[in-house]
Amino acid sequence: MATQCKYCPLNRKDAFIDLSPEEVEFMQKFKVGELVIDPGTPILMQGSNAPQLFTALSGMGIRERHLKDGSKQVINFVFPGDFIGLQAGLLGEMGHSVEARTQMRLCVFNRSEFWNFFKGHPERAFDITWLGAMEENFLGESIATLGQRSAIQAVAWTMVKIFQRGAALGMVQNNTIALPYTQRDVADALGLSLVHTNKTLGKLKERQLASWSDRVLQINDLEKLAMIAMTDLRPLPKRPLI
Amino acid sequence: MATQCKYCPLNRKDAFIDLSPEEVEFMQKFKVGELVIDPGTPILMQGSNAPQLFTALSGMGIRERHLKDGSKQVINFVFPGDFIGLQAGLLGEMGHSVEARTQMRLCVFNRSEFWNFFKGHPERAFDITWLGAMEENFLGESIATLGQRSAIQAVAWTMVKIFQRGAALGMVQNNTIALPYTQRDVADALGLSLVHTNKTLGKLKERQLASWSDRVLQINDLEKLAMIAMTDLRPLPKRPLI
DNA sequence: CGCTGCATTGATGAGTGTCAAAATTGGTGG
DNA sequence: CCACCAATTTTGACACTCATCAATGCAGCG
């Protein structure tokens, strides 16, 4: 028996816009179950036409795109609250794969119900589109990072972004956050080699800005990191929860 | 007096899904006018909260993101039929600027009417979201290009993508298409230096794959280009027109 | 007819990638 | 509890792609 939406732990976090009781009830109908998966498990495959969509309830993962020569590009990191499968739901085919990096708990929706959002619940349809626009915006920033920022700027940028997202979700304690990724993941996200990523992380540690070891990222000087990364530190807007 | 939607030249191109007469009528109400602008004119500014949204009727432009150090990243190229201002309409703020590269004719919509799509015309709301997902998909591919492809692969990839989009719009004649961009635009799109972009284009010409001069791109061997670019040549899906 | 913007070419060097190996960590089974 | 193995992190040496600098050519234009 699936857990009740009204007890969903995410809905109480202030990173998210509160749902009205009616909305919660509608989402409950849309929800078909929950899924708990182990680290390394693929959630959706690039090119697949998945019948199910998900919201990450807990745990973290990555979105990645595979190229013909075997290399891969990490598109984004998946945090709790992220909606997974928008492309499958709309385009009928995922442009990237999604894979768990920790144990994850997923809220499972039926894709066939997707259209009901638009037909009967325009506010929720709007929320989905809003999330899509937010992701588009973020990907644009990533493109600017890959195209214009140097290795140290890019790594600093990534650390700032991860830290900010984590902070909004209450995952930060004493300026530290658990980071279940490997340096290879970060390297693949930034289009850098593993070796160079490692050396660049070393520089940030040397300069006492951020140190990441034992799966824990510690941020010592967020402002200076943001300056290196050429980015602003404005707070993330509240996001809807699907 | 704005031109009638039912005479819109785009609606007849087979790159787009046909609109029913009712839909055309609704779009007509949404439309507030047309705008003709000169090359170089900014259409929307990064960070702005624009009251108006657009669909490109003719002409071409670029989406670009400006960084604090003055550098810029071209996010994508704008073709006829592209919807401009989704982020402003949803997030209240553009994540990038849009600028004309040729003379452009724009269909102008009122942002305040945006919500009506979702409330009263779920099919059209769905279409908007569909376009957003398509863009998100493309940006993911761009990220893979910037992160994983070498200079020659990236340039080949860009030429293939542009050629395919142009072909779908009937802009290709004898394997040539008018390209109003400068090599600087392409360099900024790929995160390469202008000089290296120039030399890489030279290689493609040498190898008799593609030659671009005098604002005209000629593709001599699309298949070989696609192979270099590590990309498929599958036809673009029909897209909705907003 | 001298601007100004864009394309082109050559020379040089910095930033990253690649290769190889060692150090560290974590997990597994004896 | 230790031994072993796989995955990951770390370090050093070297190679190469690509950025930077600088100069020339070329076309459009007031």
Side-chain angles (χ1 to χ4, degrees):
Chain A
M1 173 60 74
T3 309
Q4 301 267 309
C5 284
K6 57 180 160 186
Y7 301 133
C8 179
L10 286 180
N11 199 17
R12 275 188 225 95
K13 294 199 187 272
D14 53 0
F16 302 105
I17 298 169
D18 291 327
L19 289 177
S20 70
E22 298 78 43
E23 284 173 320
V24 171
E25 197 176 344
F26 169 65
M27 292 311 293
Q28 182 76 61
K29 278 190 296 187
F30 187 50
K31 177 175 182 176
V32 298
E34 278 187 16
L35 193 58
V36 175
I37 57 174
D38 283 332
T41 309
I43 299 172
L44 290 175
M45 292 294 289
Q46 178 174 339
S48 72
N49 182 353
Q52 299 185 320
L53 313 176
F54 310 92
T55 289
L57 295 176
S58 66
M60 298 169 80
I62 56 171
R63 301 180 191 269
E64 59 184 353
R65 196 178 177 101
H66 301 273
L67 283 87
K68 286 188 170 175
D69 67 346
S71 62
K72 70 178 195 196
Q73 173 69 36
V74 170
I75 305 286
N76 199 354
F77 300 104
V78 177
F79 278 66
D82 281 10
F83 186 58
I84 299 169
L86 181 66
Q87 295 188 3
L90 284 157
L91 309 178
E93 180 170 337
M94 287 297 288
H96 57 261
S97 302
V98 184
E99 202 176 294
R101 278 290 178 269
T102 64
Q103 189 185 70
M104 292 186 76
R105 199 155 58 90
L106 301 172
C107 192
V108 185
F109 303 116
N110 228 324
R111 190 186 132 186
S112 55
E113 299 284 330
F114 199 63
W115 170 243
N116 289 337
F117 278 106
F118 287 87
K119 208 173 50 187
H121 293 264
E123 313 82 9
R124 303 264 64 203
F126 188 90
D127 286 345
I128 289 176
T129 313
W130 192 96
L131 284 178
M134 203 64 186
E135 182 74 6
E136 185 186 323
N137 180 52
F138 179 81
L139 295 188
E141 209 174 330
S142 293
I143 289 177
T145 294
L146 293 176
Q148 307 298 329
R149 286 187 242 255
S150 67
I152 192 154
Q153 291 172 336
V155 173
W157 179 83
T158 304
M159 296 301 124
V160 169
K161 290 295 167 186
I162 287 178
F163 192 76
Q164 284 202 116
R165 291 192 66 187
L169 291 166
M171 299 164 71
V172 169
Q173 278 144 14
N174 285 337
N175 287 324
T176 67
I177 178 176
L179 255 208
Y181 304 109
T182 64
Q183 295 188 4
R184 165 134 300 288
D185 288 329
V186 173
D188 287 341
L190 296 176
L192 298 172
S193 73
L194 171 58
V195 171
H196 199 59
T197 301
N198 176 278
K199 288 173 180 170
T200 306
L201 281 164
K203 277 188 198 164
L204 290 182
K205 186 183 293 191
E206 252 179 38
R207 301 193 196 172
Q208 319 254 10
L209 300 173
S211 60
W212 176 26
S213 48
D214 298 323
R215 311 270 124 147
V216 173
L217 170 66
Q218 171 166 18
I219 300 291
N220 300 309
D221 193 333
L222 187 59
E223 306 236 331
K224 209 170 281 182
L225 272 179
M227 185 150 307
I228 291 176
M230 299 192 297
T231 186
D232 289 327
L233 280 179
R234 53 166 147 175
L236 304 178
K238 280 200 180 197
R239 22 187 303 140
L241 193 58
I242 303 299
Chain B
M1 174 61 74
T3 309
Q4 301 266 310
C5 285
K6 57 181 160 184
Y7 299 135
C8 179
L10 286 181
N11 199 18
R12 274 188 226 95
K13 294 199 188 273
D14 52 1
F16 303 104
I17 298 168
D18 290 327
L19 290 176
S20 70
E22 298 78 40
E23 284 173 321
V24 171
E25 197 176 345
F26 169 65
M27 293 310 294
Q28 181 75 62
K29 278 190 296 187
F30 187 49
K31 177 176 180 176
V32 298
E34 278 187 17
L35 194 57
V36 175
I37 58 175
D38 283 332
T41 309
I43 299 172
L44 289 175
M45 292 294 289
Q46 179 174 338
S48 72
N49 182 350
Q52 299 185 321
L53 313 176
F54 310 92
T55 289
L57 295 175
S58 67
M60 298 170 80
I62 56 171
R63 301 180 191 268
E64 58 184 354
R65 194 175 177 103
H66 301 274
L67 283 87
K68 286 188 168 175
D69 68 346
S71 63
K72 70 179 195 195
Q73 172 69 37
V74 171
I75 305 287
N76 200 352
F77 300 104
V78 177
F79 277 66
D82 281 10
F83 186 58
I84 299 170
L86 181 66
Q87 295 188 3
L90 284 157
L91 309 178
E93 179 170 336
M94 287 297 287
H96 56 261
S97 302
V98 183
E99 203 176 294
R101 277 290 177 269
T102 65
Q103 189 185 73
M104 292 185 76
R105 200 154 59 90
L106 302 172
C107 192
V108 185
F109 304 116
N110 229 324
R111 189 185 133 187
S112 55
E113 299 283 331
F114 198 62
W115 172 242
N116 289 337
F117 277 106
F118 287 86
K119 208 173 50 188
H121 292 265
E123 314 82 10
R124 303 264 65 204
F126 189 90
D127 286 345
I128 288 176
T129 313
W130 192 95
L131 284 178
M134 203 65 187
E135 181 76 5
E136 185 186 323
N137 181 51
F138 179 81
L139 295 187
E141 210 173 330
S142 293
I143 289 177
T145 295
L146 293 176
Q148 308 297 330
R149 286 188 242 255
S150 67
I152 193 155
Q153 290 172 336
V155 172
W157 179 82
T158 304
M159 296 301 123
V160 169
K161 290 295 167 185
I162 287 177
F163 191 76
Q164 284 203 117
R165 291 192 66 187
L169 290 166
M171 299 163 72
V172 168
Q173 278 144 13
N174 284 334
N175 286 324
T176 65
I177 179 176
L179 256 207
Y181 305 109
T182 63
Q183 296 189 1
R184 165 132 302 285
D185 289 327
V186 173
D188 287 342
L190 297 176
L192 297 172
S193 73
L194 171 59
V195 171
H196 198 59
T197 301
N198 176 278
K199 288 173 179 169
T200 306
L201 281 165
K203 277 187 198 165
L204 290 182
K205 186 182 295 191
E206 250 178 42
R207 301 194 197 171
Q208 317 256 9
L209 300 172
S211 61
W212 176 25
S213 48
D214 297 322
R215 310 274 123 142
V216 173
L217 169 67
Q218 171 166 17
I219 299 291
N220 300 309
D221 192 334
L222 188 59
E223 306 235 331
K224 210 170 280 181
L225 272 179
M227 184 149 309
I228 292 176
M230 298 192 296
T231 187
D232 288 328
L233 280 179
R234 55 167 145 172
L236 304 177
K238 279 199 180 197
R239 25 189 299 141
L241 194 57
I242 304 298

Short mmCIF file of all heavy atoms in Angstrom, two decimals, chain A residues 32-79:
data_model
loop_
_atom_site.label_atom_id
_atom_site.label_comp_id
_atom_site.label_asym_id
_atom_site.label_seq_id
_atom_site.Cartn_x
_atom_site.Cartn_y
_atom_site.Cartn_z
N VAL A 32 0.60 5.83 -8.31
CA VAL A 32 0.28 4.41 -8.37
C VAL A 32 1.13 3.59 -7.40
O VAL A 32 0.91 2.39 -7.28
CB VAL A 32 0.45 3.84 -9.79
CG1 VAL A 32 -0.50 4.52 -10.74
CG2 VAL A 32 1.88 3.97 -10.27
N GLY A 33 2.10 4.20 -6.77
CA GLY A 33 2.88 3.43 -5.82
C GLY A 33 4.20 4.10 -5.48
O GLY A 33 4.46 5.24 -5.89
N GLU A 34 5.00 3.36 -4.75
CA GLU A 34 6.32 3.85 -4.42
C GLU A 34 7.34 2.79 -4.78
O GLU A 34 7.01 1.60 -4.86
CB GLU A 34 6.44 4.20 -2.94
CG GLU A 34 5.89 5.57 -2.63
CD GLU A 34 6.16 6.00 -1.19
OE1 GLU A 34 7.02 5.39 -0.53
OE2 GLU A 34 5.49 6.94 -0.74
N LEU A 35 8.57 3.22 -4.99
CA LEU A 35 9.60 2.33 -5.44
C LEU A 35 10.87 2.66 -4.67
O LEU A 35 11.24 3.83 -4.57
CB LEU A 35 9.82 2.54 -6.95
CG LEU A 35 10.63 1.53 -7.72
CD1 LEU A 35 10.04 0.14 -7.61
CD2 LEU A 35 10.71 1.96 -9.18
N VAL A 36 11.50 1.67 -4.13
CA VAL A 36 12.78 1.88 -3.46
C VAL A 36 13.85 1.15 -4.25
O VAL A 36 13.70 -0.04 -4.55
CB VAL A 36 12.74 1.38 -2.00
CG1 VAL A 36 14.14 1.51 -1.38
CG2 VAL A 36 11.73 2.16 -1.20
N ILE A 37 14.88 1.85 -4.62
CA ILE A 37 15.91 1.25 -5.47
C ILE A 37 17.29 1.45 -4.88
O ILE A 37 17.52 2.38 -4.11
CB ILE A 37 15.89 1.84 -6.89
CG1 ILE A 37 16.07 3.35 -6.82
CG2 ILE A 37 14.59 1.50 -7.59
CD1 ILE A 37 16.19 3.99 -8.17
N ASP A 38 18.20 0.59 -5.27
CA ASP A 38 19.57 0.63 -4.77
C ASP A 38 20.45 1.55 -5.60
O ASP A 38 20.12 1.85 -6.76
CB ASP A 38 20.16 -0.79 -4.79
CG ASP A 38 19.64 -1.63 -3.65
OD1 ASP A 38 19.29 -1.04 -2.60
OD2 ASP A 38 19.56 -2.87 -3.80
N PRO A 39 21.56 1.97 -5.02
CA PRO A 39 22.52 2.77 -5.78
C PRO A 39 22.91 2.07 -7.07
O PRO A 39 23.09 0.85 -7.06
CB PRO A 39 23.72 2.89 -4.84
CG PRO A 39 23.20 2.60 -3.48
CD PRO A 39 21.99 1.73 -3.65
N GLY A 40 23.05 2.82 -8.15
CA GLY A 40 23.47 2.24 -9.42
C GLY A 40 22.33 1.77 -10.28
O GLY A 40 22.53 1.49 -11.47
N THR A 41 21.12 1.69 -9.74
CA THR A 41 19.98 1.22 -10.52
C THR A 41 19.56 2.27 -11.55
O THR A 41 19.42 3.43 -11.23
CB THR A 41 18.79 0.95 -9.60
OG1 THR A 41 19.20 0.11 -8.52
CG2 THR A 41 17.65 0.29 -10.36
N PRO A 42 19.36 1.85 -12.79
CA PRO A 42 18.83 2.77 -13.80
C PRO A 42 17.34 2.99 -13.56
O PRO A 42 16.61 2.03 -13.31
CB PRO A 42 19.04 2.04 -15.13
CG PRO A 42 19.79 0.79 -14.81
CD PRO A 42 19.67 0.53 -13.35
N ILE A 43 16.91 4.23 -13.63
CA ILE A 43 15.49 4.56 -13.43
C ILE A 43 14.79 4.69 -14.77
O ILE A 43 13.72 4.14 -14.99
CB ILE A 43 15.37 5.86 -12.62
CG1 ILE A 43 16.03 5.68 -11.25
CG2 ILE A 43 13.91 6.26 -12.46
CD1 ILE A 43 16.13 6.96 -10.45
N LEU A 44 15.39 5.45 -15.65
CA LEU A 44 14.87 5.57 -17.02
C LEU A 44 16.05 5.50 -17.97
O LEU A 44 17.13 6.00 -17.68
CB LEU A 44 14.14 6.90 -17.21
CG LEU A 44 12.79 7.07 -16.50
CD1 LEU A 44 12.26 8.48 -16.70
CD2 LEU A 44 11.79 6.06 -17.03
N MET A 45 15.83 4.91 -19.13
CA MET A 45 16.91 4.76 -20.09
C MET A 45 16.74 5.73 -21.25
O MET A 45 15.63 5.91 -21.76
CB MET A 45 16.94 3.33 -20.63
CG MET A 45 17.34 2.28 -19.60
SD MET A 45 19.06 2.50 -19.08
CE MET A 45 19.92 1.98 -20.57
N GLN A 46 17.83 6.30 -21.67
CA GLN A 46 17.85 7.15 -22.85
C GLN A 46 17.24 6.41 -24.04
O GLN A 46 17.60 5.28 -24.32
CB GLN A 46 19.31 7.53 -23.15
CG GLN A 46 19.52 8.38 -24.38
CD GLN A 46 20.97 8.82 -24.50
OE1 GLN A 46 21.71 8.83 -23.52
NE2 GLN A 46 21.39 9.19 -25.70
N GLY A 47 16.30 7.07 -24.71
CA GLY A 47 15.67 6.47 -25.87
C GLY A 47 14.47 5.62 -25.53
O GLY A 47 13.73 5.21 -26.42
N SER A 48 14.24 5.36 -24.27
CA SER A 48 13.12 4.50 -23.90
C SER A 48 11.81 5.28 -23.86
O SER A 48 11.79 6.49 -23.72
CB SER A 48 13.36 3.88 -22.52
OG SER A 48 13.22 4.86 -21.52
N ASN A 49 10.75 4.53 -24.00
CA ASN A 49 9.42 5.11 -23.95
C ASN A 49 8.74 4.56 -22.70
O ASN A 49 7.95 3.63 -22.77
CB ASN A 49 8.65 4.71 -25.21
CG ASN A 49 7.28 5.32 -25.25
OD1 ASN A 49 6.84 5.94 -24.28
ND2 ASN A 49 6.60 5.15 -26.36
N ALA A 50 9.08 5.14 -21.59
CA ALA A 50 8.68 4.56 -20.31
C ALA A 50 7.21 4.83 -20.01
O ALA A 50 6.71 5.91 -20.28
CB ALA A 50 9.54 5.12 -19.19
N PRO A 51 6.52 3.84 -19.45
CA PRO A 51 5.12 4.01 -19.09
C PRO A 51 4.94 4.73 -17.76
O PRO A 51 3.84 5.06 -17.39
CB PRO A 51 4.61 2.58 -18.98
CG PRO A 51 5.80 1.80 -18.58
CD PRO A 51 6.99 2.50 -19.18
N GLN A 52 6.05 4.95 -17.05
CA GLN A 52 5.92 5.53 -15.72
C GLN A 52 6.80 6.75 -15.52
O GLN A 52 7.90 6.85 -16.06
CB GLN A 52 6.29 4.47 -14.68
CG GLN A 52 5.36 3.28 -14.77
CD GLN A 52 5.61 2.26 -13.69
OE1 GLN A 52 6.75 1.99 -13.34
NE2 GLN A 52 4.53 1.69 -13.16
N LEU A 53 6.28 7.64 -14.73
CA LEU A 53 7.02 8.85 -14.38
C LEU A 53 7.25 8.84 -12.88
O LEU A 53 6.56 8.14 -12.14
CB LEU A 53 6.21 10.09 -14.77
CG LEU A 53 5.63 10.04 -16.19
CD1 LEU A 53 4.77 11.26 -16.45
CD2 LEU A 53 6.75 9.95 -17.20
N PHE A 54 8.20 9.65 -12.42
CA PHE A 54 8.57 9.58 -11.01
C PHE A 54 8.80 10.97 -10.43
O PHE A 54 9.10 11.92 -11.15
CB PHE A 54 9.86 8.77 -10.84
CG PHE A 54 9.85 7.44 -11.51
CD1 PHE A 54 10.34 7.30 -12.82
CD2 PHE A 54 9.36 6.32 -10.87
CE1 PHE A 54 10.33 6.07 -13.45
CE2 PHE A 54 9.35 5.08 -11.49
CZ PHE A 54 9.84 4.96 -12.79
N THR A 55 8.64 11.01 -9.13
CA THR A 55 9.21 12.12 -8.37
C THR A 55 10.15 11.52 -7.34
O THR A 55 9.77 10.57 -6.65
CB THR A 55 8.11 12.94 -7.68
OG1 THR A 55 7.37 13.66 -8.64
CG2 THR A 55 8.73 13.93 -6.70
N ALA A 56 11.35 12.07 -7.26
CA ALA A 56 12.30 11.58 -6.26
C ALA A 56 11.84 12.03 -4.89
O ALA A 56 11.68 13.23 -4.64
CB ALA A 56 13.70 12.11 -6.57
N LEU A 57 11.60 11.07 -4.00
CA LEU A 57 11.19 11.42 -2.63
C LEU A 57 12.40 11.57 -1.72
O LEU A 57 12.45 12.45 -0.87
CB LEU A 57 10.25 10.34 -2.08
CG LEU A 57 8.91 10.23 -2.81
CD1 LEU A 57 8.08 9.08 -2.27
CD2 LEU A 57 8.13 11.54 -2.69
N SER A 58 13.37 10.69 -1.92
CA SER A 58 14.61 10.83 -1.16
C SER A 58 15.73 10.18 -1.95
O SER A 58 15.48 9.39 -2.85
CB SER A 58 14.48 10.16 0.22
OG SER A 58 14.33 8.76 0.05
N GLY A 59 16.94 10.53 -1.61
CA GLY A 59 18.10 9.99 -2.31
C GLY A 59 18.52 10.87 -3.47
O GLY A 59 17.85 11.85 -3.80
N MET A 60 19.62 10.52 -4.09
CA MET A 60 20.15 11.35 -5.17
C MET A 60 20.57 10.49 -6.35
O MET A 60 20.82 9.29 -6.21
CB MET A 60 21.34 12.17 -4.66
CG MET A 60 20.94 13.12 -3.55
SD MET A 60 22.34 13.90 -2.71
CE MET A 60 22.75 15.19 -3.87
N GLY A 61 20.63 11.12 -7.51
CA GLY A 61 20.99 10.40 -8.73
C GLY A 61 21.58 11.34 -9.76
O GLY A 61 21.91 12.48 -9.45
N ILE A 62 21.72 10.85 -10.97
CA ILE A 62 22.23 11.68 -12.05
C ILE A 62 21.40 11.47 -13.32
O ILE A 62 20.81 10.41 -13.54
CB ILE A 62 23.69 11.36 -12.41
CG1 ILE A 62 23.84 9.88 -12.76
CG2 ILE A 62 24.62 11.75 -11.29
CD1 ILE A 62 25.20 9.56 -13.31
N ARG A 63 21.35 12.51 -14.11
CA ARG A 63 20.85 12.42 -15.48
C ARG A 63 22.06 12.38 -16.38
O ARG A 63 22.95 13.22 -16.25
CB ARG A 63 20.01 13.64 -15.83
CG ARG A 63 18.80 13.86 -14.94
CD ARG A 63 18.04 15.11 -15.37
NE ARG A 63 17.04 15.49 -14.39
CZ ARG A 63 15.77 15.08 -14.41
NH1 ARG A 63 15.37 14.28 -15.37
NH2 ARG A 63 14.93 15.46 -13.48
N GLU A 64 22.12 11.44 -17.28
CA GLU A 64 23.30 11.35 -18.14
C GLU A 64 22.93 10.97 -19.56
O GLU A 64 21.94 10.28 -19.81
CB GLU A 64 24.29 10.32 -17.57
CG GLU A 64 23.69 8.94 -17.46
CD GLU A 64 24.63 7.94 -16.81
OE1 GLU A 64 25.79 8.29 -16.56
OE2 GLU A 64 24.20 6.80 -16.56
N ARG A 65 23.73 11.44 -20.47
CA ARG A 65 23.51 11.19 -21.87
C ARG A 65 24.67 10.39 -22.44
O ARG A 65 25.83 10.76 -22.25
CB ARG A 65 23.39 12.54 -22.60
CG ARG A 65 22.79 12.44 -23.95
CD ARG A 65 22.64 13.80 -24.62
NE ARG A 65 22.13 13.60 -25.94
CZ ARG A 65 20.86 13.77 -26.28
NH1 ARG A 65 20.00 14.22 -25.41
NH2 ARG A 65 20.46 13.52 -27.51
N HIS A 66 24.36 9.32 -23.14
CA HIS A 66 25.41 8.45 -23.66
C HIS A 66 25.67 8.78 -25.13
O HIS A 66 24.75 8.94 -25.92
CB HIS A 66 25.01 6.99 -23.53
CG HIS A 66 24.75 6.60 -22.10
ND1 HIS A 66 25.74 6.17 -21.25
CD2 HIS A 66 23.61 6.61 -21.37
CE1 HIS A 66 25.23 5.92 -20.07
NE2 HIS A 66 23.94 6.17 -20.10
N LEU A 67 26.93 8.83 -25.50
CA LEU A 67 27.29 9.09 -26.89
C LEU A 67 27.73 7.80 -27.55
O LEU A 67 28.02 6.80 -26.91
CB LEU A 67 28.39 10.14 -26.98
CG LEU A 67 27.93 11.58 -26.76
CD1 LEU A 67 27.92 11.94 -25.29
CD2 LEU A 67 28.80 12.55 -27.53
N LYS A 68 27.79 7.90 -28.88
CA LYS A 68 28.08 6.69 -29.65
C LYS A 68 29.45 6.11 -29.38
O LYS A 68 29.67 4.91 -29.53
CB LYS A 68 27.97 7.01 -31.15
CG LYS A 68 26.55 7.18 -31.62
CD LYS A 68 26.50 7.29 -33.14
CE LYS A 68 25.06 7.19 -33.63
NZ LYS A 68 24.97 7.42 -35.08
N ASP A 69 30.40 6.93 -29.01
CA ASP A 69 31.75 6.41 -28.79
C ASP A 69 31.93 5.84 -27.39
O ASP A 69 33.03 5.49 -27.00
CB ASP A 69 32.79 7.51 -29.06
CG ASP A 69 32.70 8.62 -28.03
OD1 ASP A 69 31.69 8.66 -27.30
OD2 ASP A 69 33.63 9.43 -27.95
N GLY A 70 30.84 5.80 -26.63
CA GLY A 70 30.93 5.20 -25.31
C GLY A 70 31.12 6.21 -24.19
O GLY A 70 30.95 5.87 -23.03
N SER A 71 31.50 7.42 -24.55
CA SER A 71 31.63 8.43 -23.50
C SER A 71 30.25 8.86 -23.01
O SER A 71 29.25 8.59 -23.66
CB SER A 71 32.40 9.65 -24.02
OG SER A 71 31.69 10.25 -25.08
N LYS A 72 30.23 9.48 -21.87
CA LYS A 72 28.94 9.95 -21.38
C LYS A 72 29.05 11.35 -20.81
O LYS A 72 30.13 11.78 -20.38
CB LYS A 72 28.39 8.98 -20.33
CG LYS A 72 29.15 9.00 -19.03
CD LYS A 72 28.52 8.07 -18.01
CE LYS A 72 29.07 8.40 -16.62
NZ LYS A 72 28.82 7.34 -15.64
N GLN A 73 27.93 12.03 -20.83
CA GLN A 73 27.88 13.40 -20.31
C GLN A 73 26.82 13.44 -19.23
O GLN A 73 25.66 13.10 -19.47
CB GLN A 73 27.51 14.38 -21.44
CG GLN A 73 27.25 15.79 -20.95
CD GLN A 73 28.51 16.47 -20.47
OE1 GLN A 73 29.60 16.27 -21.03
NE2 GLN A 73 28.40 17.27 -19.42
N VAL A 74 27.22 13.85 -18.04
CA VAL A 74 26.23 14.05 -16.98
C VAL A 74 25.53 15.39 -17.22
O VAL A 74 26.18 16.43 -17.32
CB VAL A 74 26.90 14.02 -15.59
CG1 VAL A 74 25.90 14.46 -14.53
CG2 VAL A 74 27.42 12.64 -15.28
N ILE A 75 24.20 15.32 -17.35
CA ILE A 75 23.42 16.52 -17.67
C ILE A 75 23.09 17.33 -16.43
O ILE A 75 23.08 18.55 -16.44
CB ILE A 75 22.09 16.11 -18.34
CG1 ILE A 75 22.34 15.23 -19.56
CG2 ILE A 75 21.27 17.32 -18.69
CD1 ILE A 75 22.87 15.94 -20.74
N ASN A 76 22.79 16.60 -15.35
CA ASN A 76 22.38 17.28 -14.13
C ASN A 76 22.38 16.26 -12.99
O ASN A 76 22.40 15.06 -13.22
CB ASN A 76 20.98 17.88 -14.30
CG ASN A 76 20.70 18.95 -13.28
OD1 ASN A 76 21.47 19.19 -12.36
ND2 ASN A 76 19.56 19.62 -13.44
N PHE A 77 22.35 16.77 -11.78
CA PHE A 77 22.24 15.90 -10.61
C PHE A 77 20.78 15.89 -10.15
O PHE A 77 20.10 16.90 -10.23
CB PHE A 77 23.16 16.39 -9.51
CG PHE A 77 24.61 16.41 -9.91
CD1 PHE A 77 25.25 17.60 -10.22
CD2 PHE A 77 25.33 15.23 -10.03
CE1 PHE A 77 26.58 17.63 -10.62
CE2 PHE A 77 26.65 15.24 -10.42
CZ PHE A 77 27.29 16.44 -10.72
N VAL A 78 20.33 14.75 -9.69
CA VAL A 78 18.95 14.61 -9.26
C VAL A 78 18.86 14.71 -7.74
O VAL A 78 19.57 13.98 -7.03
CB VAL A 78 18.37 13.26 -9.72
CG1 VAL A 78 16.95 13.08 -9.20
CG2 VAL A 78 18.40 13.16 -11.24
N PHE A 79 18.01 15.61 -7.27
CA PHE A 79 17.80 15.82 -5.83
C PHE A 79 16.37 15.43 -5.47
O PHE A 79 15.51 15.32 -6.33
CB PHE A 79 18.03 17.30 -5.49
CG PHE A 79 19.47 17.68 -5.31
CD1 PHE A 79 20.36 17.63 -6.36
CD2 PHE A 79 19.94 18.10 -4.06
CE1 PHE A 79 21.70 17.99 -6.19
CE2 PHE A 79 21.27 18.45 -3.89
CZ PHE A 79 22.14 18.40 -4.94
#
